[in-house]
Amino acid sequence: MNSSLTAGDGTPAARPAAPRTPQVPGDGPARAQYVEDLLGDPFAAGNPHGQEALLAADERREAPAATETLLTRFGLAAEFVPRSLGGRLGGVEELAQVLRPVFRRDVALGFGAGMTALFAASVVWTAGDHRQRRDTARLLLDGGRITILHRQFAHANAILRGEYTAHPAPGGGYVVGGRKEVVINADRADAFVAYVRTAPGDGPDSHSVFLLETGRLPARAVRRLPRARTHGMRGAHYAGLELDRCPVPADALVGRPGEGVSLSLRTFQVSRALVSGGALVAGMDSALRYAVRAVTESRRGVAPRGRRGRVLAGVFADLLACDSLAVAGLRLLDLAPEHALVPSAAVKYAVSALLHEDLDELAAVLGARGYDRGPAYGGFQKLVRDLPVAGLGHAGTADTQAVLVPHLRTLAHAPWRGGDGHEAPAALFTPGKDRTTLDFRRLDAEPRDPHSGCDGLLAVLPGAAARLDGRRSRGARWAALADLARVFAAEAHTLAERCATLSGRPDAGALAPAAYVLADRYCLLLAAASCLAVCENAAPGTPDGGLLAEPDWALLALTRFARRLGLDVPDLPDGVTQELAAGLVDRYRRGRSFDLYGMRLA
């Protein structure tokens, strides 16, 4: 399956050599630690995979070649191939853990050298036949690259603009034509998973999916266009691809004709969860680390009672809250993928919005250091550029809203409103517990059961409120958390009533402005529910002496959510913000990540 194509400048499209599935530690946490140690201290002088080298490559708009080679030798591509096909892919929570060390260092590297391959291959794992699955697995395990050609969206940005069309060929197969200007790895991919228009109009049967393996396509019909300049993720290989009346064999069709939109709805659930739980949370972990470094290195140091201490504690609480929601979404995909459509959209929407706000707060703490281009702080400005691209900006928001808004009308009939629990199981809120495996073929384009998925997450609020009443005797902070849980449980009922009212209005279509406001509130309520559930289910033996099992972080996170929602909540008990800021600095000094896992950093 080697490509015979050349890049737009006449040079051959390169393929790195890689051993087939190198031997590395078995489970996800061990492999994540292996990758962390392999990449080394990002701030050590002379580390070829550290910030100095990564920022220099970004300035040159190049991928960091040495680090890409290192990840190839590790066999990163094997992480995207199911175990049944010879790879290491089991559950997506496990995969997100393995990818976080990469994304903490360089978001563009995480996409260019890694996760994009799964975005493409997941379509094959979901609906491909035996040959397609076998050949795609072989391609990745042998060091090849695969990327995705998205269909055009109404809210298209450069990445989503342009599309391809296909018509039946007289002798069988198809003829595909079209052009896209900005495709990640278009100049060096060995295969493309392409969403191609096969019928007119915008109906659900308008597109089909093709697995375009370059070794099976005539070179004359395929033209790789020059690299495209992007503001963010400058080191990623964004380029164009033009197909000119390209003959495509019949067995390149993935799934059934006209199944493209359905397949995108099914597989984008995995993409959204991994972007949130991999790229965004890990990137924000690094952004917060830059701010803590700046504060601890200043003459004043950290004053937990001061403004900077309050900001750092608040962003830390947000990060743990976002990770709680992200991990719940990842584990839902592993445990019950047929119910993950709406939750995955909510995860992406909430995490993107919250962390975007937090970047602004951290920029104020960093001050002039936020504009530094050196290895000590230059990574912050890179994150400011890269993270919006990772979330696809406005197009990514519109994509998630298109899933969330139609679901709101079902809240009026949610069973938890009548006291019938239907809570999401505790297994969703126990990070790293048990080894799970995602069955791609169980992904569904529609929620099968309206009482599962997001409704199960939302049902956590009244359930947690009732259970936390029993912890009031533990002290003022537990009592305050119980009070907040009651406030959020009441707000969930209010939201359901507002959704019922919205359904009866004449402007209740998908574009009703009020619906988008309610979607915002809905996602914040899901994040609050995830916080409470993670706190409830955390064992005292979790990282940092049971930080997750104590109420402080959830208390601060929910207070910040309540203020965003305009809810009337009391002031925090004395010492909460200060002690959480101190816990954050303690993690920093002991070299631990700021997410739920608190893993040891190189």
Side-chain angles (χ1 to χ4, degrees), residues 104-131:
R104 274 197 294 268
R105 288 161 173 80
D106 189 337
V107 172
L109 176 67
F111 277 90
M115 199 156 62
T116 299
L118 184 68
F119 295 169
S122 61
V123 182
V124 181
W125 309 150
T126 300
D129 60 27
H130 175 73
R131 182 203 66 82

Side-chain angles (χ1 to χ4, degrees), residues 149-154 156-166 176-183 194-202 206-208 241-243 261:
L149 304 175
H150 294 285
R151 64 190 178 94
Q152 181 164 282
F153 289 84
N157 54 27
I159 296 172
L160 301 175
R161 194 174 299 125
E163 67 176 6
Y164 303 90
T165 58
V176 178
R179 177 185 178 111
K180 287 182 77 73
E181 299 286 347
V182 184
V183 177
Y195 286 86
V196 178
R197 177 175 291 281
T198 49
D202 295 320
S206 59
H207 289 72
S208 303
L241 185 75
E242 183 176 24
L243 302 177
V261 173

Side-chain angles (χ1 to χ4, degrees), residues 546-598:
L547 181 147
L548 298 180
E550 294 300 321
D552 291 12
W553 70 276
L555 188 53
L556 181 53
L558 264 66
T559 298
R560 287 166 65 87
F561 290 168
R563 289 172 181 160
R564 288 177 172 107
L565 292 167
L567 304 179
D568 186 18
V569 295
D571 292 334
L572 288 164
D574 289 343
V576 169
T577 301
Q578 297 90 325
E579 290 182 24
L580 196 58
L584 170 66
V585 174
D586 180 62
R587 277 202 186 193
Y588 172 78
R589 288 176 173 156
R590 292 192 297 110
R592 294 282 172 173
S593 66
F594 296 150
D595 57 13
L596 294 181
Y597 302 101

Side-chain angles (χ1 to χ4, degrees), residues 327-340 343 428 453-454 457:
V327 167
L330 290 164
R331 292 182 65 81
L332 180 61
L333 276 167
D334 290 342
L335 298 171
E338 59 270 21
H339 300 307
L428 295 187
C454 263
L457 292 176

Side-chain angles (χ1 to χ4, degrees), residues 268-360:
F268 279 16
Q269 298 172 55
V270 179
S271 304
R272 293 186 190 111
L274 280 172
V275 168
S276 305
L280 299 183
V281 169
M284 200 61 201
D285 188 314
S286 291
L288 179 55
R289 195 167 305 278
Y290 286 117
V292 176
R293 165 182 279 202
V295 171
T296 55
E297 289 181 350
S298 72
R299 287 181 299 171
R300 290 178 293 168
V302 178
R305 292 184 182 275
R307 181 187 65 84
R308 296 188 301 172
R310 290 195 300 272
V311 170
L312 294 179
V315 174
F316 185 32
D318 276 359
L319 177 59
L320 292 172
C322 286
D323 205 11
S324 297
L325 181 59
V327 167
L330 290 164
R331 292 182 65 81
L332 180 61
L333 276 167
D334 290 342
L335 298 171
E338 59 270 21
H339 300 307
L341 176 66
V342 176
S344 68
V347 168
K348 174 71 165 25
Y349 186 89
V351 172
S352 297
L354 290 168
L355 297 187
H356 180 76
E357 290 181 21
D358 289 339
L359 272 179
D360 290 339

